[in-house]
Amino acid sequence: MSAHRTSPGEPWPGWSTSRAAQAAYGKHLVRIGELIPALLYSSVMDRQHLAAAHTARRQDLIDSQVSSQALVCRDDLLETAAVLDALALCHGHGSYLPSYQEDSRNPVPRDVELRTDASDVASDLVHHDHQYGTSITGDIPSALGYDCTDAERDAVRTYARREWIISQEMLELRSGPGRRPTSCAGAEMRPRLPERR
């Protein structure tokens, strides 16, 4: 059995990306393929550590874990926005859910829901960057409002995509040629709760 060699066209065995995703992310699609399990794993572990601290009634550990999560909030938003955007691009271009119908109980096509989720997370990144001045590229669009248009949703996704690609380019420059950057924040670098003695 041969090992799978990742590429922008097939970041995971059996997952062939769309031309739109390849055009938008290029060589960085490989990193997005790596981020999917990393984001899922770190989210579960972060919640597990918070729950353990809560169960142990260790407010100091809860405060420490929440503080740690706050420090990597932008990186989490940026990485999640990039992953959702790439997945949405693999489903093609199309419409979004109207803001007033996002909580509807009616079945929604998966591609529409995925595009809407991608734009919602990108809007959270936009809001964060407006609030804290953390944009790398500048030219931040407005965060999504209640009655936003598809064009506004596209704009926040484009912004998040641009921010993520530039952050990856900067990490590659810092890592040196031929070395793979770990991530924006690095799920593996997040502090973990110490064991209670």
Side-chain angles (χ1 to χ4, degrees):
M1 178 181 218
S2 64
H4 177 261
R5 294 185 59 85
T6 60
S7 70
E10 192 178 12
W12 283 357
W15 176 35
S16 295
T17 57
S18 69
R19 286 191 173 129
Q22 291 175 33
Y25 287 96
K27 67 180 182 179
H28 299 296
L29 264 177
V30 171
R31 181 66 186 133
I32 286 177
E34 295 169 350
L35 280 176
I36 295 170
L39 288 170
L40 293 171
Y41 178 80
S42 68
S43 175
V44 168
M45 297 312 299
D46 288 347
R47 287 181 182 179
Q48 181 183 22
H49 286 106
L50 268 175
H54 175 74
T55 300
R57 298 177 189 232
R58 295 283 312 269
Q59 189 62 44
D60 60 324
L61 295 179
I62 293 170
D63 293 344
S64 172
Q65 186 70 11
V66 169
S67 176
S68 168
Q69 288 181 17
L71 289 174
V72 296
C73 177
R74 183 183 192 271
D75 293 326
D76 288 345
L77 287 171
L78 185 59
E79 290 173 341
T80 303
V83 166
L84 288 174
D85 181 57
L87 292 172
L89 286 170
C90 289
H91 287 277
H93 294 285
S95 62
Y96 296 88
L97 287 173
S99 299
Y100 54 85
Q101 289 183 358
E102 286 184 31
D103 294 328
S104 171
R105 299 279 184 223
N106 297 331
V108 175
R110 289 185 183 177
D111 62 326
V112 173
E113 184 176 28
L114 188 53
R115 277 190 292 278
T116 303
D117 290 347
S119 67
D120 287 346
V121 174
S123 180
D124 289 344
L125 174 69
V126 163
H127 176 74
H128 185 281
D129 284 354
H130 275 296
Q131 184 174 2
Y132 297 105
T134 48
S135 174
I136 300 169
T137 63
D139 195 22
I140 310 170
S142 296
L144 300 177
Y146 176 73
D147 199 16
C148 60
T149 66
D150 284 4
E152 290 169 321
R153 287 188 177 277
D154 287 340
V156 295
R157 283 178 59 196
T158 299
Y159 170 75
R161 186 180 311 136
R162 184 178 71 231
E163 286 283 304
W164 190 79
I165 289 170
I166 292 298
S167 73
Q168 293 303 293
E169 298 291 335
M170 291 169 58
L171 282 170
E172 286 176 7
L173 286 173
R174 279 189 240 142
S175 299
R179 296 187 56 179
R180 182 178 70 70
T182 56
S183 80
C184 294
E188 61 276 67
M189 297 166 49
R190 292 185 187 169
R192 298 292 180 209
L193 293 175
E195 295 295 323
R196 185 170 180 180
R197 294 178 189 201

